[in-house]
Amino acid sequence: MKNHFLNIADFTPHQLTTFLDRAQHWTDALNNNAPGAGDLLKDKVILTLFFENSTRTRTSFEIAAHRFGARVVNWDVKSSSMSKDESFLDTIQTLGAMKPDAVIIRSSEYNAPYFVSTKLDCPVINAGDSHRAHPTQALLDALTIRQNKGHIEGLNIAICGDVAHSRVAGSNFQMLSKLGANIRIIAPEFLMPEKMPAPNIQTFTDMDKGLQDCDVIMMLRIQKERMDTSQIPDDATYFKDYGLTRSRLALAKDNVVVMHPGPMNRGVEIAEDIPDDPKVSLILKQVENGVPARMAVLEWALSYQTQRAAA
Ligand code: NCD
């Protein structure tokens, strides 16, 4: 059985906590300028397959791999034979025949990482599955919260905005509910998920009510490329009703923190200045944590020594 990293739901709370502990270990190592494992994945070749654009996820996977001495091959959909009508399956089987040691995949096709894991003979890591799952983002988000608050259990965490089309939200619901947080969704009716993704989630269509008593606020952009845009109000109207402003922030707890997986649309879901305020914003910390969180996933997926530690 290969160590595929496909969904948060595949792991127990204990395993997830072990991933967080390993991610914290790599955070500390990077902060001390002593990664201490420059050759853990030496001679491994990791293939990234991004069928969708990415700034943070692909780069941080790549840097994480380099921190372990692995080599990364970035396959590019635009210059591939898929532009000559080669099928997805033929492309995957072709790339698999070159025997990469691991594959990291992002696709807008529902369940593509799982499908690929059934076709390849190496660990497959989900770097974004349609509107459904983005498990390494949930890992780095949980790491960021735990570093700031010391724990996750019992925190009031609001996920706000376009929850219906967000794979980040999908994986965070699983992660944060497994780790014992009190989760709220704040969204207009048309951006609420059709089915509640985890038990005991509170929902609010009124942002001012939903923010009360929150420890953590996670904002999401409207994912226009994943929806019929006819229902979306103009930016100013959306900001008036669901934008995170200073006055709304004041409704939450005094030590509330603000998160956003990026890419952000300032002035639409979040006021221009909030992301840059180091007293409340953890947004760049999330990006920074992308590297150690993905190091924890790569070592689990690829390194024999640490498989036992995370088992
Ligand atoms: C997100 C993604 O691509 O799923 N960004 C990320 O990976 N940090 C969120 C988005 O697209 O809005």
PDB file of all heavy atoms in Angstrom, residues 52-58 106 127-130 133-134 137 140 165-168 220-223 225-226 260-264 294, ligand 1:
ATOM      1  N   GLU A  52      -4.057  23.048 -13.298  1.00  0.00           N
ATOM      2  CA  GLU A  52      -4.612  24.376 -13.000  1.00  0.00           C
ATOM      3  C   GLU A  52      -3.477  25.246 -12.515  1.00  0.00           C
ATOM      4  O   GLU A  52      -2.492  24.745 -11.984  1.00  0.00           O
ATOM      5  CB  GLU A  52      -5.591  24.277 -11.814  1.00  0.00           C
ATOM      6  CG  GLU A  52      -6.990  23.954 -12.161  1.00  0.00           C
ATOM      7  CD  GLU A  52      -7.858  24.053 -10.899  1.00  0.00           C
ATOM      8  OE1 GLU A  52      -7.510  24.771  -9.937  1.00  0.00           O
ATOM      9  OE2 GLU A  52      -8.874  23.382 -10.883  1.00  0.00           O
ATOM     10  N   ASN A  53      -3.661  26.552 -12.616  1.00  0.00           N
ATOM     11  CA  ASN A  53      -2.599  27.469 -12.196  1.00  0.00           C
ATOM     12  C   ASN A  53      -2.379  27.427 -10.692  1.00  0.00           C
ATOM     13  O   ASN A  53      -3.279  27.057  -9.933  1.00  0.00           O
ATOM     14  CB  ASN A  53      -2.952  28.903 -12.598  1.00  0.00           C
ATOM     15  CG  ASN A  53      -2.950  29.043 -14.102  1.00  0.00           C
ATOM     16  OD1 ASN A  53      -2.375  28.205 -14.800  1.00  0.00           O
ATOM     17  ND2 ASN A  53      -3.600  30.080 -14.590  1.00  0.00           N
ATOM     18  N   SER A  54      -1.195  27.835 -10.287  1.00  0.00           N
ATOM     19  CA  SER A  54      -0.864  27.850  -8.864  1.00  0.00           C
ATOM     20  C   SER A  54       0.335  28.761  -8.651  1.00  0.00           C
ATOM     21  O   SER A  54       1.257  28.768  -9.472  1.00  0.00           O
ATOM     22  CB  SER A  54      -0.507  26.427  -8.430  1.00  0.00           C
ATOM     23  OG  SER A  54       0.077  26.443  -7.149  1.00  0.00           O
ATOM     24  N   THR A  55       0.286  29.521  -7.578  1.00  0.00           N
ATOM     25  CA  THR A  55       1.480  30.277  -7.176  1.00  0.00           C
ATOM     26  C   THR A  55       2.067  29.629  -5.936  1.00  0.00           C
ATOM     27  O   THR A  55       3.214  29.184  -5.931  1.00  0.00           O
ATOM     28  CB  THR A  55       1.112  31.740  -6.842  1.00  0.00           C
ATOM     29  OG1 THR A  55       0.615  32.344  -8.031  1.00  0.00           O
ATOM     30  CG2 THR A  55       2.330  32.517  -6.355  1.00  0.00           C
ATOM     31  N   ARG A  56       1.262  29.547  -4.876  1.00  0.00           N
ATOM     32  CA  ARG A  56       1.771  29.113  -3.578  1.00  0.00           C
ATOM     33  C   ARG A  56       2.023  27.611  -3.520  1.00  0.00           C
ATOM     34  O   ARG A  56       3.060  27.158  -3.063  1.00  0.00           O
ATOM     35  CB  ARG A  56       0.760  29.464  -2.475  1.00  0.00           C
ATOM     36  CG  ARG A  56       0.551  30.921  -2.300  1.00  0.00           C
ATOM     37  CD  ARG A  56      -0.839  31.199  -1.727  1.00  0.00           C
ATOM     38  NE  ARG A  56      -1.156  32.603  -1.863  1.00  0.00           N
ATOM     39  CZ  ARG A  56      -1.581  33.176  -2.987  1.00  0.00           C
ATOM     40  NH1 ARG A  56      -1.784  32.460  -4.074  1.00  0.00           N
ATOM     41  NH2 ARG A  56      -1.807  34.467  -3.043  1.00  0.00           N
ATOM     42  N   THR A  57       1.023  26.846  -3.943  1.00  0.00           N
ATOM     43  CA  THR A  57       1.078  25.408  -3.691  1.00  0.00           C
ATOM     44  C   THR A  57       2.229  24.759  -4.447  1.00  0.00           C
ATOM     45  O   THR A  57       3.040  24.028  -3.866  1.00  0.00           O
ATOM     46  CB  THR A  57      -0.270  24.751  -4.060  1.00  0.00           C
ATOM     47  OG1 THR A  57      -1.301  25.452  -3.368  1.00  0.00           O
ATOM     48  CG2 THR A  57      -0.299  23.287  -3.681  1.00  0.00           C
ATOM     49  N   ARG A  58       2.326  25.040  -5.749  1.00  0.00           N
ATOM     50  CA  ARG A  58       3.370  24.368  -6.510  1.00  0.00           C
ATOM     51  C   ARG A  58       4.759  24.795  -6.043  1.00  0.00           C
ATOM     52  O   ARG A  58       5.643  23.972  -5.850  1.00  0.00           O
ATOM     53  CB  ARG A  58       3.225  24.635  -8.012  1.00  0.00           C
ATOM     54  CG  ARG A  58       3.904  23.539  -8.816  1.00  0.00           C
ATOM     55  CD  ARG A  58       3.994  23.841 -10.267  1.00  0.00           C
ATOM     56  NE  ARG A  58       5.097  24.772 -10.516  1.00  0.00           N
ATOM     57  CZ  ARG A  58       5.442  25.196 -11.716  1.00  0.00           C
ATOM     58  NH1 ARG A  58       4.766  24.797 -12.768  1.00  0.00           N
ATOM     59  NH2 ARG A  58       6.440  26.031 -11.863  1.00  0.00           N
ATOM     60  N   ARG A 106      -2.674  18.588  -9.241  1.00  0.00           N
ATOM     61  CA  ARG A 106      -3.806  19.508  -9.069  1.00  0.00           C
ATOM     62  C   ARG A 106      -4.627  19.468 -10.344  1.00  0.00           C
ATOM     63  O   ARG A 106      -4.090  19.568 -11.438  1.00  0.00           O
ATOM     64  CB  ARG A 106      -3.314  20.931  -8.823  1.00  0.00           C
ATOM     65  CG  ARG A 106      -4.394  21.969  -8.999  1.00  0.00           C
ATOM     66  CD  ARG A 106      -3.964  23.355  -8.629  1.00  0.00           C
ATOM     67  NE  ARG A 106      -3.833  23.507  -7.200  1.00  0.00           N
ATOM     68  CZ  ARG A 106      -3.681  24.696  -6.589  1.00  0.00           C
ATOM     69  NH1 ARG A 106      -3.659  25.799  -7.302  1.00  0.00           N
ATOM     70  NH2 ARG A 106      -3.575  24.770  -5.290  1.00  0.00           N
ATOM     71  N   ALA A 127      -2.778  18.085  -4.575  1.00  0.00           N
ATOM     72  CA  ALA A 127      -2.449  19.510  -4.420  1.00  0.00           C
ATOM     73  C   ALA A 127      -3.633  20.389  -4.820  1.00  0.00           C
ATOM     74  O   ALA A 127      -3.458  21.586  -5.093  1.00  0.00           O
ATOM     75  CB  ALA A 127      -1.229  19.845  -5.269  1.00  0.00           C
ATOM     76  N   GLY A 128      -4.833  19.782  -4.848  1.00  0.00           N
ATOM     77  CA  GLY A 128      -6.032  20.538  -5.206  1.00  0.00           C
ATOM     78  C   GLY A 128      -6.904  19.702  -6.110  1.00  0.00           C
ATOM     79  O   GLY A 128      -6.521  19.425  -7.248  1.00  0.00           O
ATOM     80  N   ASP A 129      -8.061  19.275  -5.583  1.00  0.00           N
ATOM     81  CA  ASP A 129      -8.989  18.408  -6.319  1.00  0.00           C
ATOM     82  C   ASP A 129     -10.287  19.185  -6.532  1.00  0.00           C
ATOM     83  O   ASP A 129     -11.072  19.355  -5.592  1.00  0.00           O
ATOM     84  CB  ASP A 129      -9.218  17.143  -5.471  1.00  0.00           C
ATOM     85  CG  ASP A 129     -10.362  16.288  -5.975  1.00  0.00           C
ATOM     86  OD1 ASP A 129     -11.029  16.661  -6.956  1.00  0.00           O
ATOM     87  OD2 ASP A 129     -10.607  15.235  -5.353  1.00  0.00           O
ATOM     88  N   SER A 130     -10.483  19.661  -7.745  1.00  0.00           N
ATOM     89  CA  SER A 130     -11.716  20.387  -8.140  1.00  0.00           C
ATOM     90  C   SER A 130     -12.117  21.386  -7.054  1.00  0.00           C
ATOM     91  O   SER A 130     -11.277  22.093  -6.498  1.00  0.00           O
ATOM     92  CB  SER A 130     -12.830  19.382  -8.456  1.00  0.00           C
ATOM     93  OG  SER A 130     -13.122  18.551  -7.334  1.00  0.00           O
ATOM     94  N   ALA A 133     -11.314  19.205  -2.499  1.00  0.00           N
ATOM     95  CA  ALA A 133     -10.329  18.934  -1.436  1.00  0.00           C
ATOM     96  C   ALA A 133      -8.973  19.557  -1.747  1.00  0.00           C
ATOM     97  O   ALA A 133      -8.521  19.568  -2.899  1.00  0.00           O
ATOM     98  CB  ALA A 133     -10.155  17.425  -1.266  1.00  0.00           C
ATOM     99  N   HIS A 134      -8.350  20.036  -0.679  1.00  0.00           N
ATOM    100  CA  HIS A 134      -6.999  20.609  -0.788  1.00  0.00           C
ATOM    101  C   HIS A 134      -6.314  20.318   0.559  1.00  0.00           C
ATOM    102  O   HIS A 134      -6.111  21.203   1.391  1.00  0.00           O
ATOM    103  CB  HIS A 134      -7.131  22.111  -1.063  1.00  0.00           C
ATOM    104  CG  HIS A 134      -5.864  22.784  -1.475  1.00  0.00           C
ATOM    105  ND1 HIS A 134      -4.627  22.177  -1.444  1.00  0.00           N
ATOM    106  CD2 HIS A 134      -5.644  24.052  -1.930  1.00  0.00           C
ATOM    107  CE1 HIS A 134      -3.719  23.035  -1.869  1.00  0.00           C
ATOM    108  NE2 HIS A 134      -4.300  24.182  -2.167  1.00  0.00           N
ATOM    109  N   GLN A 137      -3.323  22.267   2.133  1.00  0.00           N
ATOM    110  CA  GLN A 137      -3.681  23.618   2.595  1.00  0.00           C
ATOM    111  C   GLN A 137      -4.291  23.532   3.999  1.00  0.00           C
ATOM    112  O   GLN A 137      -3.983  24.340   4.873  1.00  0.00           O
ATOM    113  CB  GLN A 137      -4.676  24.259   1.620  1.00  0.00           C
ATOM    114  CG  GLN A 137      -5.135  25.658   2.027  1.00  0.00           C
ATOM    115  CD  GLN A 137      -4.057  26.734   1.857  1.00  0.00           C
ATOM    116  OE1 GLN A 137      -3.299  26.695   0.901  1.00  0.00           O
ATOM    117  NE2 GLN A 137      -3.985  27.676   2.795  1.00  0.00           N
ATOM    118  N   LEU A 140      -1.474  23.114   6.510  1.00  0.00           N
ATOM    119  CA  LEU A 140      -0.714  24.328   6.825  1.00  0.00           C
ATOM    120  C   LEU A 140      -1.586  25.336   7.572  1.00  0.00           C
ATOM    121  O   LEU A 140      -1.090  26.094   8.420  1.00  0.00           O
ATOM    122  CB  LEU A 140      -0.092  24.923   5.552  1.00  0.00           C
ATOM    123  CG  LEU A 140      -0.963  25.664   4.546  1.00  0.00           C
ATOM    124  CD1 LEU A 140      -1.055  27.138   4.869  1.00  0.00           C
ATOM    125  CD2 LEU A 140      -0.379  25.495   3.144  1.00  0.00           C
ATOM    126  N   HIS A 165     -17.760  26.691  -3.339  1.00  0.00           N
ATOM    127  CA  HIS A 165     -16.833  26.289  -4.408  1.00  0.00           C
ATOM    128  C   HIS A 165     -15.398  26.147  -3.912  1.00  0.00           C
ATOM    129  O   HIS A 165     -14.472  26.113  -4.716  1.00  0.00           O
ATOM    130  CB  HIS A 165     -16.879  27.315  -5.548  1.00  0.00           C
ATOM    131  CG  HIS A 165     -18.252  27.512  -6.077  1.00  0.00           C
ATOM    132  ND1 HIS A 165     -19.060  28.540  -5.660  1.00  0.00           N
ATOM    133  CD2 HIS A 165     -18.980  26.773  -6.951  1.00  0.00           C
ATOM    134  CE1 HIS A 165     -20.229  28.438  -6.266  1.00  0.00           C
ATOM    135  NE2 HIS A 165     -20.210  27.388  -7.052  1.00  0.00           N
ATOM    136  N   SER A 166     -15.226  26.089  -2.598  1.00  0.00           N
ATOM    137  CA  SER A 166     -13.861  26.128  -2.065  1.00  0.00           C
ATOM    138  C   SER A 166     -13.355  24.764  -1.609  1.00  0.00           C
ATOM    139  O   SER A 166     -13.835  24.205  -0.620  1.00  0.00           O
ATOM    140  CB  SER A 166     -13.789  27.107  -0.896  1.00  0.00           C
ATOM    141  OG  SER A 166     -12.524  27.020  -0.297  1.00  0.00           O
ATOM    142  N   ARG A 167     -12.332  24.259  -2.297  1.00  0.00           N
ATOM    143  CA  ARG A 167     -11.701  23.010  -1.851  1.00  0.00           C
ATOM    144  C   ARG A 167     -10.910  23.236  -0.562  1.00  0.00           C
ATOM    145  O   ARG A 167     -10.720  22.317   0.221  1.00  0.00           O
ATOM    146  CB  ARG A 167     -10.798  22.460  -2.950  1.00  0.00           C
ATOM    147  CG  ARG A 167      -9.737  23.430  -3.431  1.00  0.00           C
ATOM    148  CD  ARG A 167      -9.087  22.893  -4.676  1.00  0.00           C
ATOM    149  NE  ARG A 167      -8.198  23.862  -5.303  1.00  0.00           N
ATOM    150  CZ  ARG A 167      -7.926  23.847  -6.605  1.00  0.00           C
ATOM    151  NH1 ARG A 167      -8.493  22.968  -7.398  1.00  0.00           N
ATOM    152  NH2 ARG A 167      -7.093  24.718  -7.118  1.00  0.00           N
ATOM    153  N   VAL A 168     -10.461  24.489  -0.354  1.00  0.00           N
ATOM    154  CA  VAL A 168      -9.764  24.803   0.897  1.00  0.00           C
ATOM    155  C   VAL A 168     -10.738  24.618   2.059  1.00  0.00           C
ATOM    156  O   VAL A 168     -10.423  23.983   3.075  1.00  0.00           O
ATOM    157  CB  VAL A 168      -9.222  26.252   0.869  1.00  0.00           C
ATOM    158  CG1 VAL A 168      -8.623  26.617   2.211  1.00  0.00           C
ATOM    159  CG2 VAL A 168      -8.206  26.427  -0.250  1.00  0.00           C
ATOM    160  N   LEU A 220     -12.420  33.735   2.156  1.00  0.00           N
ATOM    161  CA  LEU A 220     -12.248  33.046   0.867  1.00  0.00           C
ATOM    162  C   LEU A 220     -12.636  33.983  -0.261  1.00  0.00           C
ATOM    163  O   LEU A 220     -13.589  34.756  -0.118  1.00  0.00           O
ATOM    164  CB  LEU A 220     -13.164  31.821   0.793  1.00  0.00           C
ATOM    165  CG  LEU A 220     -12.968  30.741   1.845  1.00  0.00           C
ATOM    166  CD1 LEU A 220     -14.131  29.743   1.787  1.00  0.00           C
ATOM    167  CD2 LEU A 220     -11.640  30.015   1.634  1.00  0.00           C
ATOM    168  N   ARG A 221     -11.928  33.876  -1.367  1.00  0.00           N
ATOM    169  CA  ARG A 221     -12.339  34.669  -2.540  1.00  0.00           C
ATOM    170  C   ARG A 221     -13.528  33.996  -3.217  1.00  0.00           C
ATOM    171  O   ARG A 221     -13.779  32.793  -2.994  1.00  0.00           O
ATOM    172  CB  ARG A 221     -11.166  34.824  -3.505  1.00  0.00           C
ATOM    173  CG  ARG A 221     -11.018  33.721  -4.467  1.00  0.00           C
ATOM    174  CD  ARG A 221      -9.821  33.831  -5.379  1.00  0.00           C
ATOM    175  NE  ARG A 221      -9.542  32.486  -5.876  1.00  0.00           N
ATOM    176  CZ  ARG A 221      -9.976  32.007  -7.037  1.00  0.00           C
ATOM    177  NH1 ARG A 221     -10.660  32.772  -7.856  1.00  0.00           N
ATOM    178  NH2 ARG A 221      -9.731  30.766  -7.401  1.00  0.00           N
ATOM    179  N   ILE A 222     -14.243  34.753  -4.048  1.00  0.00           N
ATOM    180  CA  ILE A 222     -15.303  34.146  -4.862  1.00  0.00           C
ATOM    181  C   ILE A 222     -14.618  33.446  -6.035  1.00  0.00           C
ATOM    182  O   ILE A 222     -13.907  34.075  -6.807  1.00  0.00           O
ATOM    183  CB  ILE A 222     -16.293  35.208  -5.381  1.00  0.00           C
ATOM    184  CG1 ILE A 222     -16.909  35.970  -4.210  1.00  0.00           C
ATOM    185  CG2 ILE A 222     -17.385  34.542  -6.199  1.00  0.00           C
ATOM    186  CD1 ILE A 222     -17.875  37.055  -4.635  1.00  0.00           C
ATOM    187  N   GLN A 223     -14.836  32.129  -6.116  1.00  0.00           N
ATOM    188  CA  GLN A 223     -14.129  31.351  -7.142  1.00  0.00           C
ATOM    189  C   GLN A 223     -14.917  31.328  -8.442  1.00  0.00           C
ATOM    190  O   GLN A 223     -15.557  30.335  -8.789  1.00  0.00           O
ATOM    191  CB  GLN A 223     -13.847  29.957  -6.586  1.00  0.00           C
ATOM    192  CG  GLN A 223     -12.744  30.056  -5.543  1.00  0.00           C
ATOM    193  CD  GLN A 223     -13.038  29.319  -4.282  1.00  0.00           C
ATOM    194  OE1 GLN A 223     -12.528  28.244  -4.081  1.00  0.00           O
ATOM    195  NE2 GLN A 223     -13.875  29.898  -3.420  1.00  0.00           N
ATOM    196  N   GLU A 225     -14.285  31.040 -11.480  1.00  0.00           N
ATOM    197  CA  GLU A 225     -14.035  30.038 -12.522  1.00  0.00           C
ATOM    198  C   GLU A 225     -14.726  28.709 -12.220  1.00  0.00           C
ATOM    199  O   GLU A 225     -14.760  27.811 -13.067  1.00  0.00           O
ATOM    200  CB  GLU A 225     -12.520  29.831 -12.713  1.00  0.00           C
ATOM    201  CG  GLU A 225     -11.787  29.045 -11.632  1.00  0.00           C
ATOM    202  CD  GLU A 225     -11.490  29.839 -10.353  1.00  0.00           C
ATOM    203  OE1 GLU A 225     -12.052  30.939 -10.165  1.00  0.00           O
ATOM    204  OE2 GLU A 225     -10.719  29.328  -9.520  1.00  0.00           O
ATOM    205  N   ARG A 226     -15.291  28.552 -10.995  1.00  0.00           N
ATOM    206  CA  ARG A 226     -15.946  27.282 -10.659  1.00  0.00           C
ATOM    207  C   ARG A 226     -17.460  27.439 -10.568  1.00  0.00           C
ATOM    208  O   ARG A 226     -18.130  26.625  -9.946  1.00  0.00           O
ATOM    209  CB  ARG A 226     -15.411  26.756  -9.323  1.00  0.00           C
ATOM    210  CG  ARG A 226     -13.951  26.407  -9.373  1.00  0.00           C
ATOM    211  CD  ARG A 226     -13.448  25.747  -8.109  1.00  0.00           C
ATOM    212  NE  ARG A 226     -11.990  25.841  -8.095  1.00  0.00           N
ATOM    213  CZ  ARG A 226     -11.237  26.147  -7.047  1.00  0.00           C
ATOM    214  NH1 ARG A 226     -11.804  26.356  -5.879  1.00  0.00           N
ATOM    215  NH2 ARG A 226      -9.949  26.228  -7.138  1.00  0.00           N
ATOM    216  N   HIS A 260      -6.328  33.702   5.126  1.00  0.00           N
ATOM    217  CA  HIS A 260      -6.832  33.661   3.747  1.00  0.00           C
ATOM    218  C   HIS A 260      -5.881  32.746   2.978  1.00  0.00           C
ATOM    219  O   HIS A 260      -4.673  32.957   3.034  1.00  0.00           O
ATOM    220  CB  HIS A 260      -6.847  35.073   3.150  1.00  0.00           C
ATOM    221  CG  HIS A 260      -7.656  35.204   1.900  1.00  0.00           C
ATOM    222  ND1 HIS A 260      -7.517  34.359   0.818  1.00  0.00           N
ATOM    223  CD2 HIS A 260      -8.619  36.094   1.543  1.00  0.00           C
ATOM    224  CE1 HIS A 260      -8.365  34.712  -0.131  1.00  0.00           C
ATOM    225  NE2 HIS A 260      -9.047  35.769   0.280  1.00  0.00           N
ATOM    226  N   PRO A 261      -6.401  31.760   2.250  1.00  0.00           N
ATOM    227  CA  PRO A 261      -5.481  30.851   1.545  1.00  0.00           C
ATOM    228  C   PRO A 261      -4.816  31.512   0.343  1.00  0.00           C
ATOM    229  O   PRO A 261      -3.827  30.992  -0.182  1.00  0.00           O
ATOM    230  CB  PRO A 261      -6.393  29.704   1.087  1.00  0.00           C
ATOM    231  CG  PRO A 261      -7.746  30.333   0.959  1.00  0.00           C
ATOM    232  CD  PRO A 261      -7.811  31.389   2.039  1.00  0.00           C
ATOM    233  N   GLY A 262      -5.364  32.664  -0.091  1.00  0.00           N
ATOM    234  CA  GLY A 262      -4.900  33.281  -1.316  1.00  0.00           C
ATOM    235  C   GLY A 262      -5.381  32.464  -2.504  1.00  0.00           C
ATOM    236  O   GLY A 262      -5.745  31.312  -2.336  1.00  0.00           O
ATOM    237  N   PRO A 263      -5.416  33.029  -3.675  1.00  0.00           N
ATOM    238  CA  PRO A 263      -5.195  34.439  -3.961  1.00  0.00           C
ATOM    239  C   PRO A 263      -6.315  35.319  -3.407  1.00  0.00           C
ATOM    240  O   PRO A 263      -7.471  34.889  -3.368  1.00  0.00           O
ATOM    241  CB  PRO A 263      -5.170  34.490  -5.495  1.00  0.00           C
ATOM    242  CG  PRO A 263      -5.799  33.223  -5.963  1.00  0.00           C
ATOM    243  CD  PRO A 263      -5.698  32.221  -4.876  1.00  0.00           C
ATOM    244  N   MET A 264      -5.927  36.522  -2.947  1.00  0.00           N
ATOM    245  CA  MET A 264      -6.895  37.442  -2.334  1.00  0.00           C
ATOM    246  C   MET A 264      -7.404  38.431  -3.375  1.00  0.00           C
ATOM    247  O   MET A 264      -6.659  38.797  -4.271  1.00  0.00           O
ATOM    248  CB  MET A 264      -6.183  38.320  -1.293  1.00  0.00           C
ATOM    249  CG  MET A 264      -5.954  37.708   0.018  1.00  0.00           C
ATOM    250  SD  MET A 264      -5.205  38.937   1.103  1.00  0.00           S
ATOM    251  CE  MET A 264      -3.511  38.981   0.589  1.00  0.00           C
ATOM    252  N   ARG A 294       4.391  20.903   3.838  1.00  0.00           N
ATOM    253  CA  ARG A 294       4.564  19.993   2.693  1.00  0.00           C
ATOM    254  C   ARG A 294       5.809  19.128   2.867  1.00  0.00           C
ATOM    255  O   ARG A 294       5.858  18.010   2.356  1.00  0.00           O
ATOM    256  CB  ARG A 294       4.543  20.806   1.400  1.00  0.00           C
ATOM    257  CG  ARG A 294       3.124  21.332   1.191  1.00  0.00           C
ATOM    258  CD  ARG A 294       2.886  22.225   0.044  1.00  0.00           C
ATOM    259  NE  ARG A 294       1.442  22.457  -0.040  1.00  0.00           N
ATOM    260  CZ  ARG A 294       0.851  23.650   0.063  1.00  0.00           C
ATOM    261  NH1 ARG A 294       1.572  24.755   0.226  1.00  0.00           N
ATOM    262  NH2 ARG A 294      -0.475  23.740   0.007  1.00  0.00           N
TER     263      ARG A 294
HETATM  264  C1  NCD B   1      -6.558  28.013  -3.424  1.00  0.00           C
HETATM  265  C2  NCD B   1      -6.693  26.931  -4.418  1.00  0.00           C
HETATM  266  O1  NCD B   1      -6.126  26.994  -5.512  1.00  0.00           O
HETATM  267  O2  NCD B   1      -7.381  26.004  -4.075  1.00  0.00           O
HETATM  268  N1  NCD B   1      -5.346  28.574  -3.208  1.00  0.00           N
HETATM  269  C3  NCD B   1      -4.317  27.876  -2.646  1.00  0.00           C
HETATM  270  O3  NCD B   1      -4.006  26.771  -3.029  1.00  0.00           O
HETATM  271  N2  NCD B   1      -3.684  28.459  -1.621  1.00  0.00           N
HETATM  272  C4  NCD B   1      -7.708  28.892  -3.272  1.00  0.00           C
HETATM  273  C5  NCD B   1      -8.362  29.524  -4.468  1.00  0.00           C
HETATM  274  O4  NCD B   1      -8.213  29.130  -5.607  1.00  0.00           O
HETATM  275  O5  NCD B   1      -9.102  30.475  -4.210  1.00  0.00           O
END
